[in-house]
Short mmCIF file of all heavy atoms in Angstrom, two decimals:
data_model
loop_
_atom_site.label_atom_id
_atom_site.label_comp_id
_atom_site.label_asym_id
_atom_site.label_seq_id
_atom_site.Cartn_x
_atom_site.Cartn_y
_atom_site.Cartn_z
N MET A 121 -20.49 71.01 4.36
CA MET A 121 -20.40 69.90 3.40
C MET A 121 -19.47 68.81 3.90
O MET A 121 -19.70 67.63 3.67
CB MET A 121 -19.95 70.40 2.03
CG MET A 121 -21.03 71.17 1.28
SD MET A 121 -22.61 70.31 1.17
CE MET A 121 -22.22 68.98 0.08
N TYR A 122 -18.43 69.16 4.59
CA TYR A 122 -17.50 68.20 5.17
C TYR A 122 -18.23 67.33 6.21
O TYR A 122 -18.14 66.11 6.18
CB TYR A 122 -16.33 68.96 5.79
CG TYR A 122 -15.24 68.10 6.34
CD1 TYR A 122 -14.30 67.52 5.50
CD2 TYR A 122 -15.11 67.89 7.71
CE1 TYR A 122 -13.27 66.75 6.00
CE2 TYR A 122 -14.08 67.12 8.22
CZ TYR A 122 -13.17 66.56 7.36
OH TYR A 122 -12.15 65.80 7.86
N GLU A 123 -18.97 67.96 7.10
CA GLU A 123 -19.70 67.23 8.13
C GLU A 123 -20.86 66.44 7.54
O GLU A 123 -21.20 65.35 8.01
CB GLU A 123 -20.22 68.18 9.22
CG GLU A 123 -19.14 68.66 10.17
CD GLU A 123 -18.24 69.74 9.59
OE1 GLU A 123 -18.62 70.37 8.58
OE2 GLU A 123 -17.15 69.93 10.13
N ILE A 124 -21.50 66.98 6.51
CA ILE A 124 -22.59 66.26 5.83
C ILE A 124 -22.05 64.98 5.19
O ILE A 124 -22.66 63.91 5.28
CB ILE A 124 -23.30 67.16 4.80
CG1 ILE A 124 -24.07 68.27 5.53
CG2 ILE A 124 -24.23 66.35 3.91
CD1 ILE A 124 -24.58 69.36 4.61
N GLY A 125 -20.87 65.07 4.58
CA GLY A 125 -20.24 63.88 4.01
C GLY A 125 -19.91 62.86 5.08
O GLY A 125 -20.13 61.65 4.91
N SER A 126 -19.41 63.33 6.23
CA SER A 126 -19.10 62.41 7.33
C SER A 126 -20.37 61.75 7.86
O SER A 126 -20.39 60.55 8.11
CB SER A 126 -18.43 63.18 8.47
OG SER A 126 -17.18 63.65 8.08
N PHE A 127 -21.42 62.53 8.02
CA PHE A 127 -22.68 61.99 8.54
C PHE A 127 -23.26 60.97 7.57
O PHE A 127 -23.81 59.95 8.00
CB PHE A 127 -23.67 63.14 8.76
CG PHE A 127 -24.95 62.70 9.36
CD1 PHE A 127 -25.05 62.37 10.71
CD2 PHE A 127 -26.10 62.61 8.59
CE1 PHE A 127 -26.24 61.95 11.26
CE2 PHE A 127 -27.29 62.19 9.12
CZ PHE A 127 -27.37 61.86 10.46
N THR A 128 -23.14 61.22 6.28
CA THR A 128 -23.67 60.30 5.28
C THR A 128 -22.96 58.96 5.31
O THR A 128 -23.55 57.93 5.01
CB THR A 128 -23.55 60.94 3.88
OG1 THR A 128 -24.16 62.23 3.89
CG2 THR A 128 -24.21 60.10 2.82
N ALA A 129 -21.69 58.94 5.69
CA ALA A 129 -20.92 57.69 5.70
C ALA A 129 -21.24 56.80 6.90
O ALA A 129 -20.97 55.60 6.86
CB ALA A 129 -19.43 58.04 5.70
N PHE A 130 -21.80 57.36 7.97
CA PHE A 130 -21.97 56.60 9.21
C PHE A 130 -22.71 55.26 9.06
O PHE A 130 -22.29 54.28 9.65
CB PHE A 130 -22.63 57.45 10.29
CG PHE A 130 -21.69 58.41 10.94
CD1 PHE A 130 -22.08 59.68 11.24
CD2 PHE A 130 -20.39 58.03 11.26
CE1 PHE A 130 -21.20 60.58 11.84
CE2 PHE A 130 -19.51 58.90 11.85
CZ PHE A 130 -19.91 60.18 12.14
N PRO A 131 -23.80 55.17 8.29
CA PRO A 131 -24.47 53.86 8.21
C PRO A 131 -23.64 52.75 7.58
O PRO A 131 -23.90 51.58 7.80
CB PRO A 131 -25.71 54.14 7.34
CG PRO A 131 -25.89 55.61 7.35
CD PRO A 131 -24.55 56.21 7.60
N PHE A 132 -22.63 53.12 6.81
CA PHE A 132 -21.82 52.13 6.12
C PHE A 132 -20.57 51.72 6.87
O PHE A 132 -19.98 50.68 6.60
CB PHE A 132 -21.41 52.67 4.74
CG PHE A 132 -22.56 53.19 3.94
CD1 PHE A 132 -22.73 54.56 3.77
CD2 PHE A 132 -23.47 52.33 3.39
CE1 PHE A 132 -23.80 55.05 3.03
CE2 PHE A 132 -24.55 52.81 2.66
CZ PHE A 132 -24.71 54.17 2.48
N ILE A 133 -20.13 52.54 7.81
CA ILE A 133 -18.81 52.34 8.43
C ILE A 133 -18.75 51.04 9.23
O ILE A 133 -17.87 50.20 9.00
CB ILE A 133 -18.44 53.54 9.32
CG1 ILE A 133 -18.26 54.77 8.46
CG2 ILE A 133 -17.19 53.26 10.11
CD1 ILE A 133 -18.11 56.05 9.24
N GLY A 134 -19.63 50.87 10.20
CA GLY A 134 -19.57 49.69 11.06
C GLY A 134 -19.66 48.38 10.31
O GLY A 134 -18.80 47.52 10.45
N PRO A 135 -20.70 48.20 9.48
CA PRO A 135 -20.79 46.94 8.74
C PRO A 135 -19.61 46.71 7.79
O PRO A 135 -19.12 45.59 7.68
CB PRO A 135 -22.10 47.07 7.95
CG PRO A 135 -22.91 48.06 8.72
CD PRO A 135 -21.92 49.01 9.33
N ALA A 136 -19.15 47.75 7.15
CA ALA A 136 -18.03 47.58 6.21
C ALA A 136 -16.75 47.20 6.94
O ALA A 136 -16.03 46.30 6.51
CB ALA A 136 -17.82 48.87 5.41
N LEU A 137 -16.44 47.88 8.04
CA LEU A 137 -15.20 47.58 8.77
C LEU A 137 -15.27 46.21 9.42
O LEU A 137 -14.26 45.50 9.48
CB LEU A 137 -14.92 48.65 9.82
CG LEU A 137 -14.63 50.06 9.29
CD1 LEU A 137 -14.33 51.00 10.45
CD2 LEU A 137 -13.51 50.05 8.28
N ASP A 138 -16.42 45.83 9.93
CA ASP A 138 -16.54 44.51 10.55
C ASP A 138 -16.53 43.39 9.52
O ASP A 138 -16.05 42.29 9.79
CB ASP A 138 -17.82 44.43 11.39
CG ASP A 138 -17.74 45.27 12.64
OD1 ASP A 138 -16.61 45.61 13.05
OD2 ASP A 138 -18.79 45.58 13.23
N THR A 139 -17.03 43.66 8.33
CA THR A 139 -17.09 42.63 7.28
C THR A 139 -15.75 42.50 6.55
O THR A 139 -15.26 41.39 6.36
CB THR A 139 -18.19 42.97 6.25
OG1 THR A 139 -19.42 43.09 6.95
CG2 THR A 139 -18.29 41.90 5.19
N PHE A 140 -15.16 43.61 6.15
CA PHE A 140 -13.97 43.57 5.30
C PHE A 140 -12.67 43.86 6.05
O PHE A 140 -11.60 43.70 5.47
CB PHE A 140 -14.14 44.55 4.13
CG PHE A 140 -15.34 44.26 3.29
CD1 PHE A 140 -16.42 45.09 3.29
CD2 PHE A 140 -15.40 43.10 2.52
CE1 PHE A 140 -17.56 44.83 2.54
CE2 PHE A 140 -16.52 42.82 1.75
CZ PHE A 140 -17.59 43.69 1.77
N GLY A 141 -12.73 44.34 7.27
CA GLY A 141 -11.53 44.58 8.06
C GLY A 141 -11.11 46.03 8.08
O GLY A 141 -11.57 46.86 7.31
N ARG A 142 -10.21 46.32 9.02
CA ARG A 142 -9.75 47.70 9.24
C ARG A 142 -8.83 48.17 8.13
O ARG A 142 -8.90 49.32 7.70
CB ARG A 142 -9.03 47.83 10.58
CG ARG A 142 -9.71 47.21 11.78
CD ARG A 142 -11.12 47.73 12.01
NE ARG A 142 -11.65 47.15 13.24
CZ ARG A 142 -12.77 46.49 13.30
NH1 ARG A 142 -13.49 46.28 12.23
NH2 ARG A 142 -13.21 45.99 14.44
N ARG A 143 -7.93 47.30 7.67
CA ARG A 143 -7.02 47.73 6.59
C ARG A 143 -7.80 48.09 5.32
O ARG A 143 -7.49 49.06 4.65
CB ARG A 143 -6.00 46.63 6.28
CG ARG A 143 -4.85 46.64 7.24
CD ARG A 143 -3.81 45.67 6.82
NE ARG A 143 -4.31 44.34 7.13
CZ ARG A 143 -3.66 43.23 6.89
NH1 ARG A 143 -2.48 43.26 6.32
NH2 ARG A 143 -4.17 42.07 7.21
N PHE A 144 -8.82 47.29 5.02
CA PHE A 144 -9.65 47.60 3.86
C PHE A 144 -10.36 48.94 4.06
O PHE A 144 -10.47 49.74 3.13
CB PHE A 144 -10.67 46.46 3.64
CG PHE A 144 -11.55 46.70 2.45
CD1 PHE A 144 -11.09 46.48 1.17
CD2 PHE A 144 -12.86 47.15 2.62
CE1 PHE A 144 -11.91 46.69 0.07
CE2 PHE A 144 -13.69 47.37 1.53
CZ PHE A 144 -13.21 47.13 0.26
N GLY A 145 -10.84 49.18 5.28
CA GLY A 145 -11.48 50.46 5.59
C GLY A 145 -10.54 51.63 5.41
O GLY A 145 -10.91 52.69 4.90
N LEU A 146 -9.28 51.45 5.86
CA LEU A 146 -8.28 52.51 5.64
C LEU A 146 -8.06 52.75 4.16
O LEU A 146 -8.00 53.90 3.71
CB LEU A 146 -6.95 52.12 6.30
CG LEU A 146 -6.88 52.26 7.80
CD1 LEU A 146 -5.61 51.60 8.34
CD2 LEU A 146 -6.92 53.72 8.20
N LEU A 147 -7.95 51.68 3.39
CA LEU A 147 -7.73 51.81 1.95
C LEU A 147 -8.88 52.52 1.27
O LEU A 147 -8.68 53.45 0.48
CB LEU A 147 -7.51 50.43 1.33
CG LEU A 147 -7.31 50.40 -0.18
CD1 LEU A 147 -6.00 51.09 -0.54
CD2 LEU A 147 -7.33 48.98 -0.68
N VAL A 148 -10.11 52.14 1.60
CA VAL A 148 -11.29 52.77 0.98
C VAL A 148 -11.40 54.23 1.41
O VAL A 148 -11.61 55.11 0.57
CB VAL A 148 -12.58 51.99 1.35
CG1 VAL A 148 -13.82 52.77 0.97
CG2 VAL A 148 -12.58 50.64 0.66
N GLY A 149 -11.23 54.49 2.71
CA GLY A 149 -11.34 55.86 3.20
C GLY A 149 -10.30 56.78 2.57
O GLY A 149 -10.61 57.90 2.15
N ILE A 150 -9.07 56.32 2.51
CA ILE A 150 -8.00 57.13 1.93
C ILE A 150 -8.18 57.30 0.42
O ILE A 150 -7.89 58.36 -0.13
CB ILE A 150 -6.62 56.54 2.29
CG1 ILE A 150 -6.41 56.72 3.80
CG2 ILE A 150 -5.51 57.19 1.50
CD1 ILE A 150 -5.20 55.99 4.36
N SER A 151 -8.72 56.29 -0.24
CA SER A 151 -9.00 56.42 -1.69
C SER A 151 -10.07 57.47 -1.94
O SER A 151 -9.94 58.29 -2.88
CB SER A 151 -9.46 55.07 -2.27
OG SER A 151 -8.46 54.10 -2.12
N ILE A 152 -11.11 57.48 -1.13
CA ILE A 152 -12.17 58.50 -1.28
C ILE A 152 -11.60 59.88 -0.96
O ILE A 152 -11.92 60.86 -1.64
CB ILE A 152 -13.37 58.16 -0.39
CG1 ILE A 152 -14.05 56.88 -0.91
CG2 ILE A 152 -14.38 59.31 -0.36
CD1 ILE A 152 -15.12 56.34 0.01
N LEU A 153 -10.73 59.95 0.04
CA LEU A 153 -10.07 61.23 0.35
C LEU A 153 -9.24 61.72 -0.83
O LEU A 153 -9.22 62.91 -1.15
CB LEU A 153 -9.16 61.07 1.57
CG LEU A 153 -9.84 61.15 2.91
CD1 LEU A 153 -8.95 60.60 3.99
CD2 LEU A 153 -10.19 62.58 3.21
N PHE A 154 -8.54 60.80 -1.48
CA PHE A 154 -7.73 61.17 -2.63
C PHE A 154 -8.61 61.72 -3.76
O PHE A 154 -8.29 62.76 -4.35
CB PHE A 154 -6.93 59.95 -3.12
CG PHE A 154 -6.06 60.25 -4.30
CD1 PHE A 154 -4.87 60.94 -4.14
CD2 PHE A 154 -6.44 59.85 -5.56
CE1 PHE A 154 -4.07 61.23 -5.24
CE2 PHE A 154 -5.65 60.12 -6.66
CZ PHE A 154 -4.46 60.82 -6.50
N ILE A 155 -9.73 61.05 -4.02
CA ILE A 155 -10.64 61.54 -5.06
C ILE A 155 -11.20 62.91 -4.68
O ILE A 155 -11.26 63.81 -5.51
CB ILE A 155 -11.78 60.51 -5.30
CG1 ILE A 155 -11.21 59.23 -5.91
CG2 ILE A 155 -12.87 61.09 -6.19
CD1 ILE A 155 -12.17 58.06 -5.90
N GLY A 156 -11.59 63.08 -3.42
CA GLY A 156 -12.10 64.37 -2.95
C GLY A 156 -11.06 65.47 -3.07
O GLY A 156 -11.39 66.62 -3.40
N THR A 157 -9.80 65.12 -2.81
CA THR A 157 -8.72 66.10 -2.94
C THR A 157 -8.53 66.52 -4.40
O THR A 157 -8.34 67.71 -4.68
CB THR A 157 -7.41 65.51 -2.39
OG1 THR A 157 -7.62 65.14 -1.03
CG2 THR A 157 -6.27 66.51 -2.48
N VAL A 158 -8.62 65.57 -5.31
CA VAL A 158 -8.49 65.89 -6.75
C VAL A 158 -9.65 66.77 -7.19
O VAL A 158 -9.46 67.78 -7.88
CB VAL A 158 -8.40 64.60 -7.59
CG1 VAL A 158 -8.53 64.90 -9.07
CG2 VAL A 158 -7.10 63.87 -7.31
N VAL A 159 -10.87 66.42 -6.77
CA VAL A 159 -12.05 67.21 -7.13
C VAL A 159 -11.92 68.63 -6.59
O VAL A 159 -12.15 69.62 -7.30
CB VAL A 159 -13.35 66.54 -6.61
CG1 VAL A 159 -14.54 67.47 -6.73
CG2 VAL A 159 -13.61 65.26 -7.37
N GLN A 160 -11.55 68.74 -5.33
CA GLN A 160 -11.42 70.06 -4.71
C GLN A 160 -10.20 70.80 -5.25
O GLN A 160 -10.25 72.02 -5.44
CB GLN A 160 -11.31 69.90 -3.20
CG GLN A 160 -11.52 71.15 -2.43
CD GLN A 160 -11.62 70.88 -0.94
OE1 GLN A 160 -11.73 69.75 -0.50
NE2 GLN A 160 -11.59 71.94 -0.16
N GLY A 161 -9.13 70.09 -5.52
CA GLY A 161 -7.90 70.75 -6.00
C GLY A 161 -7.99 71.25 -7.43
O GLY A 161 -7.26 72.16 -7.81
N THR A 162 -8.86 70.67 -8.23
CA THR A 162 -9.01 71.15 -9.61
C THR A 162 -10.06 72.26 -9.74
O THR A 162 -10.34 72.72 -10.84
CB THR A 162 -9.39 69.98 -10.55
OG1 THR A 162 -10.59 69.35 -10.08
CG2 THR A 162 -8.26 68.97 -10.65
N THR A 163 -10.59 72.71 -8.63
CA THR A 163 -11.57 73.81 -8.64
C THR A 163 -11.02 75.08 -9.26
O THR A 163 -11.75 75.77 -9.97
CB THR A 163 -12.10 74.06 -7.22
OG1 THR A 163 -12.68 72.86 -6.73
CG2 THR A 163 -13.14 75.14 -7.21
#
Side-chain angles (χ1 to χ4, degrees):
M121 287 309 291
Y122 184 78
E123 285 77 18
I124 292 169
S126 294
F127 183 76
T128 306
F130 282 139
F132 309 107
I133 294 171
L137 296 182
D138 289 341
T139 303
F140 301 111
R142 313 303 184 236
R143 279 186 285 180
F144 180 78
L146 284 170
L147 178 67
V148 168
I150 291 171
S151 299
I152 294 171
L153 278 164
F154 180 76
I155 293 168
T157 302
V158 169
V159 168
Q160 195 170 350
T162 57
T163 302

